[in-house]
Amino acid sequence: MNLWQQLRKILQLRFSPNSLKGFVSLVLVGTVLSVSLAACSGTNTSNDTGKSQNVELTLVSFAVTKAAHAAIIPKFVEKWQKEHKQTVVFKQSYGGSGSQTRAVVDGLEADVVHLALALDTQKIEKAGLIQAGWEKKFPNNGIVSKSVAALVTREGNPKGIKNWADLAKDNVKLITADPKTSGVARWNFLALWNSVIKTGGDETKAIEFVTKVYKNVPVLTKDAREATDAFFKQGQGDALINYENEIVLAKDKGEKTNYILPDVNISIDNPIAVVDKNVDKHGNREVAEAFVKYLFTPEAQQEFAKVGFRPVDETVAKSKEFADKYPQIKTLGTVQELGGWDAVQKKFFAEGAIFDQIQAKNKR
């Protein structure tokens, strides 16, 4: 007797809702229907191989990558569906790199993190969520997007700002965020410091120069977005330090921009990592690692390049489409040359370190 024959026989029983027999019959009907629904539900979530037809992946990234990921994710979803007969459903979160890092440490169950600087990824590692050696698991030491620092000026550049050195002039006001609270601002600080070291200056000269520059900062904003708003919307300052990718994206949208790419610059490297503890909990490591690997492919790197990021793939970087868009920087420094992020944080941005010393001098 099949399932529906059993159901028909039960329904044929004469019962009253108030009788014991009727009550038992209703329970049996409910049981049969429950079994039927469960069976139907099971056929919708698995294919013949036993693999779920849907898999969920949570991407947590810093704000300015949103446009790139919006173009890349549908391509990856299509590719994975074609190869694995499985639909990847993405949950996405974008915001300041520092705040995104804190959210993941505090319980936001990211499967993949794409952050503004390796220091933030290391904080998640130290919280026990990412395994040590994460940067060695993927190409290019885990750096999937990069940029350089740009100097934005007022229209016509009335103060004649041409390079980093001009920011130390008495009549120039600079807008930048606080490196104690902003990842972007740490890159800004390092760009200033690097401009002295890479041109033959020693640390004494670097401290002297950076102290003069920060004396010209009327207010340190909390993050890069506030700094941008202070410059453009509130009309503060003569210059703003910003990511090249932000400027390129604004220019591509038709906005009028005035900016300079100093030929002595810092490589702003943005890492990607799988959050090991979370993917193991969610059972989606395979697709998480495949997505991260896909971000390094020429197809994905082209999408990063379209919205302002310098490609990490050399074939894309040298292509006709992007070679002119991203001119080579004559002298490019790296965090590794400064000892890596642990050393940089301790030397420059920890309590009582060089940045605090500079601020104390400027308040006297």
Side-chain angles (χ1 to χ4, degrees):
M1 188 182 293
N2 64 34
L3 179 64
W4 293 109
Q5 287 174 328
Q6 293 177 48
L7 179 59
R8 187 163 53 249
K9 184 175 180 180
I10 292 168
L11 291 172
Q12 286 171 348
L13 293 173
R14 294 177 182 178
F15 62 85
S16 167
N18 296 323
S19 69
L20 177 61
K21 188 175 181 179
F23 175 78
V24 172
S25 298
L26 286 171
V27 171
L28 287 171
V29 171
T31 301
V32 172
L33 287 172
S34 295
V35 171
S36 175
L37 289 171
C40 292
S41 176
T43 60
N44 286 333
T45 57
S46 299
N47 56 29
D48 293 337
T49 64
K51 183 181 284 187
S52 171
Q53 288 183 348
N54 291 338
V55 59
E56 192 172 90
L57 201 65
T58 299
L59 169 67
V60 173
S61 190
F62 64 110
V64 296
T65 64
K66 187 174 183 178
H69 286 302
I72 293 169
I73 286 173
K75 293 186 175 184
F76 174 76
V77 169
E78 182 181 2
K79 181 176 185 291
W80 188 265
Q81 175 67 46
K82 183 178 179 180
E83 295 176 355
H84 299 268
K85 303 296 186 280
Q86 190 178 45
T87 300
V88 185
V89 179
F90 274 83
K91 286 185 175 180
Q92 301 169 62
S93 174
Y94 299 94
S97 187
S99 60
Q100 293 292 73
T101 300
R102 288 189 294 274
V104 173
V105 171
D106 290 342
L108 175 58
E109 293 190 0
D111 298 304
V112 175
V113 287
H114 182 189
L115 300 171
L117 61 166
L119 180 67
D120 287 340
T121 313
Q122 289 166 1
K123 289 177 182 177
I124 300 174
E125 176 191 340
K126 289 175 181 177
L129 300 175
I130 296 177
Q131 295 171 5
W134 56 269
E135 66 275 13
K136 301 297 182 183
K137 294 178 181 178
F138 299 104
N140 200 39
N141 286 322
I143 303 302
V144 74
S145 60
K146 64 181 180 179
S147 191
V148 294
L151 276 175
V152 186
T153 67
R154 296 295 176 192
E155 186 174 356
N157 194 9
K159 293 295 179 73
I161 299 167
K162 298 178 180 178
N163 51 42
W164 299 116
D166 291 332
L167 299 179
K169 293 179 179 178
D170 291 339
N171 67 334
V172 172
K173 295 298 180 186
L174 172 69
I175 301 299
T176 184
D178 188 343
K180 302 282 283 189
T181 59
S182 166
V184 174
R186 288 188 179 94
W187 285 116
N188 294 350
F189 179 97
L190 294 179
L192 293 165
W193 182 273
N194 179 73
S195 72
V196 176
I197 300 300
K198 282 291 187 180
T199 53
D202 58 15
E203 290 202 356
T204 300
K205 290 287 185 182
I207 290 173
E208 181 183 344
F209 170 68
V210 177
T211 300
K212 286 182 179 179
V213 172
Y214 278 92
K215 191 171 184 178
N216 288 342
V217 178
V219 59
L220 288 168
T221 63
K222 182 180 67 176
D223 55 35
R225 180 56 56 201
E226 284 190 8
T228 301
D229 287 347
F231 184 78
F232 286 107
K233 294 181 180 180
Q234 299 167 22
Q236 295 186 41
D238 304 301
L240 168 75
I241 308 178
N242 207 340
Y243 283 175
E244 177 194 31
N245 59 276
E246 285 272 76
I247 307 303
V248 170
L249 184 59
K251 187 177 178 182
D252 288 346
K253 288 181 178 179
E255 297 178 21
K256 192 171 183 180
T257 56
N258 301 274
Y259 72 100
I260 302 140
L261 289 180
D263 56 10
V264 178
N265 218 306
I266 191 83
S267 182
I268 298 172
D269 299 332
N270 318 131
I272 191 99
V274 169
V275 185
D276 297 289
K277 187 173 182 179
N278 291 340
V279 296
D280 289 341
K281 177 182 177 180
H282 301 155
N284 58 3
R285 177 179 287 276
E286 181 184 9
V287 69
E289 291 183 345
F291 174 65
V292 172
K293 289 176 183 176
Y294 180 74
L295 294 179
F296 289 93
T297 65
E299 185 178 30
Q301 284 296 307
Q302 286 172 5
E303 297 302 333
F304 278 117
K306 287 176 184 177
V307 295
F309 291 96
R310 290 181 170 240
V312 300
D313 183 284
E314 285 301 313
T315 59
V316 177
K318 293 177 180 178
S319 68
K320 185 178 180 180
E321 183 178 1
F322 299 115
D324 292 337
K325 190 171 186 175
Y326 301 106
Q328 283 194 334
I329 302 297
K330 183 179 178 181
T331 306
L332 194 64
T334 67
V335 167
Q336 286 69 33
E337 292 172 344
L338 296 171
W341 272 110
D342 281 340
V344 165
Q345 176 66 18
K346 183 178 180 180
K347 180 174 182 175
F348 296 110
F349 308 121
E351 291 300 316
I354 287 177
F355 182 74
D356 282 350
Q357 296 167 21
I358 286 172
Q359 288 298 93
K361 286 180 184 177
N362 284 335
K363 288 178 180 178
R364 291 174 188 169

